[in-house]
């Protein structure tokens, strides 16, 4: 099984970069989906990230060689590729049918699944203080997302369907992330992402409406480009963080993502109310957010056995 390098400060920093970029991504995707369909957006994000990564690795003379590819588990690469592609599609379908905050809330199930996957598969261990952090984190999520969960339960039609698709997207992402960590035994994170991005781009090529991209105005094309660069940087940082830190701790930091999303939604709704509608957060939700932060910090920075 893959063992982390132990450079936890670097792993923490990379995880925080991922949190920020994933936190603001739903807003950009919501705007982009006003002009493009889900398949085309996903295809463009994967293709752009693949091409930029090819250029970078070629300039650094770090493209994967035949020996590395032969030593890699292609079965695991296929699993990682299929489930990351599924995650992108399901999350964006859920986002199109619900709201940025709701989609980001439900997708956090992925970090919980990743955390427990790290404990079970990679034999990572929590101290007592870290388990206390898990309890605080769980209570924080329950309070913070109470209003959204109540809406999901009582909602009908598209909102409920979108929420269900997002749950499936979370499961798909956790499977991808655990596969990604194991693949680090034979390839660097950048080389793994290069192969996965290329494979995902091929999967979505038959469904993409490429011509519609050329009809976009400058505003929507800019948001589409941002989504593509976000894919490259955020997943690159996430993949590299798994090389230096335990999967369970990376997942605990990623649990902070909804707070970034809701803060971004509030700022955007104040500045551009015609683009993003505001999210109403009660005092209970604010208290829950504080518990989420406290629990995540406790898990991430607690010492291992």
């Amino acid at each position: 099984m893959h063992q982390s390098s132990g450079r936890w400060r670097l792993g923490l920093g990379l995880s925080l970069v991922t949190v920020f970029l994933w936190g603001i991504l739903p807003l950009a995707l919501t705007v982009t989906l006003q002009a493009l369909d889900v398949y085309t957006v996903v295809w463009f994000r994967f293709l752009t990230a693949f091409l930029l990564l090819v250029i970078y690795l070629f300039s650094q003379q770090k493209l994967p060689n035949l020996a590395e590819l032969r030593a890699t588990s292609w079965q695991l690469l296929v699993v990682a590729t299929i489930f990351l592609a599924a995650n992108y599609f399901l999350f964006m379908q859920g986002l199109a049918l619900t709201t940025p905050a709701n989609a980001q809330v439900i997708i956090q199930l992925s970090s919980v699944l990743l955390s427990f996957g790290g404990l079970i598969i990679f034999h990572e261990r929590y101290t007592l203080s870290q388990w206390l952090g898990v309890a605080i984190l769980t209570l924080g999520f329950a309070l913070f997302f109470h209003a959204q969960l109540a809406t999901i339960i009582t909602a009908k039609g598209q909102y409920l369907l979108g929420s269900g698709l997002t749950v499936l997207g979370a499961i798909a992402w956790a499977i991808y992330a655990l596969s990604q960590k194991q693949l680090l035994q034979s390839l660097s994170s950048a080389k793994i992402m290069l192969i996965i991005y290329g494979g995902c781009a091929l999967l979505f090529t038959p469904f993409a409406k490429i011509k519609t991209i050329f009809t976009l105005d400058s505003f929507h094309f800019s948001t589409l480009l941002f989504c593509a660069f976000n894919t490259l940087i955020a997943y690159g940082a996430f993949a590299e963080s798994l090389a230096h830190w335990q999967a369970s701790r990376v997942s605990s930091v990623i649990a902070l993502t909804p707070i970034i999303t809701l803060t971004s939604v509030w700022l955007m709704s104040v500045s551009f109310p015609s683009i993003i509608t505001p999210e109403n957060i009660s005092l209970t939700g604010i208290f829950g957010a504080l518990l989420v932060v406290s629990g995540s910090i406790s898990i991430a920075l607690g010492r291992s056995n």
Side-chain angles (χ1 to χ4, degrees):
M1 288 296 175
H2 173 263
Q3 298 296 319
S4 302
S5 70
R7 300 170 65 187
W8 69 268
R9 291 180 180 84
L10 178 57
L12 173 60
L14 291 168
S15 300
L16 291 174
V17 170
T18 304
V19 165
F20 175 75
L21 291 175
W22 281 352
I24 61 177
L25 178 61
L27 280 75
L29 288 174
T30 299
V31 173
T32 306
L33 287 172
Q34 296 170 359
L36 288 176
D37 64 282
V38 171
Y39 293 104
T40 305
V41 175
V42 174
W43 171 81
F44 185 85
R45 291 173 65 192
F46 278 128
L47 181 64
T48 304
F50 171 74
L51 293 176
L52 290 174
L53 200 50
V54 166
I55 294 170
Y56 170 75
L57 291 176
F58 179 78
S59 65
Q60 300 292 315
Q61 297 183 342
K62 291 183 179 180
L63 287 171
N65 55 50
L66 287 176
E68 290 175 320
L69 294 176
R70 288 171 181 167
T72 302
S73 170
W74 280 95
Q75 294 89 340
L76 209 55
L77 269 174
V78 170
V79 169
T81 300
I82 290 174
F83 280 96
L84 183 61
N87 165 258
Y88 268 55
F89 174 75
L90 292 167
F91 177 76
M92 288 197 61
Q93 284 285 17
L95 182 64
L97 296 173
T98 59
T99 64
N102 181 71
Q104 195 62 268
V105 166
I106 299 174
I107 204 66
Q108 291 315 300
L109 175 63
S110 60
S111 63
V112 177
L113 294 173
L114 173 60
S115 178
F116 285 107
L119 295 175
I120 296 170
I121 298 175
F122 294 103
H123 307 295
E124 298 173 1
R125 294 291 180 265
Y126 278 172
T127 62
L128 180 61
S129 64
Q130 287 174 303
W131 280 114
L132 179 61
V134 172
I136 295 172
L137 181 71
T138 304
L139 177 61
F141 274 131
L143 294 174
F144 188 59
F145 301 135
H146 175 73
Q148 287 89 340
L149 290 174
T151 302
I152 294 169
I153 293 171
T154 58
K156 296 179 180 179
Q158 288 191 337
Y159 199 92
L160 188 59
L161 174 61
S163 300
L165 292 174
T166 309
V167 170
L168 294 177
I171 296 171
W173 185 88
I175 296 172
Y176 146 75
L178 292 168
S179 302
Q180 157 84 40
K181 185 169 177 61
Q182 183 63 17
L183 284 166
L184 289 166
Q185 278 193 315
S186 53
L187 286 174
S188 69
S189 58
K191 293 176 182 179
I192 294 170
M193 296 314 299
L194 175 70
I195 298 170
I196 292 176
Y197 287 153
C200 289
L202 285 174
L203 286 175
F204 283 99
T205 297
F207 308 102
K209 299 177 182 177
I210 301 173
K211 292 181 180 179
T212 57
I213 296 175
F214 299 100
T215 65
L216 294 176
D217 56 37
S218 58
F219 174 65
H220 286 98
F221 185 71
S222 297
T223 58
L224 179 62
L225 279 178
F226 172 79
C227 293
F229 278 96
N230 189 297
T231 297
L232 177 66
I233 299 171
Y235 268 90
F238 168 73
E240 189 64 19
S241 69
L242 289 175
H244 302 293
W245 214 17
Q246 296 171 335
S248 53
R249 299 197 180 192
V250 171
S251 67
S252 67
V253 176
I254 291 174
L256 300 173
T257 304
I259 296 176
I260 303 297
T261 300
L262 286 162
T263 302
S264 303
V265 168
W266 177 77
L267 291 173
M268 283 291 291
S269 64
V270 171
S271 304
F272 307 99
S274 61
I275 299 176
I276 299 293
T277 56
E279 297 280 349
N280 296 319
I281 306 175
S282 64
L283 290 176
T284 302
I286 294 173
F287 179 64
L290 294 176
L291 292 181
V292 169
V293 173
S294 301
S296 296
I297 293 174
S298 176
I299 297 170
L301 301 182
R303 292 186 177 181
S304 302
N305 283 324

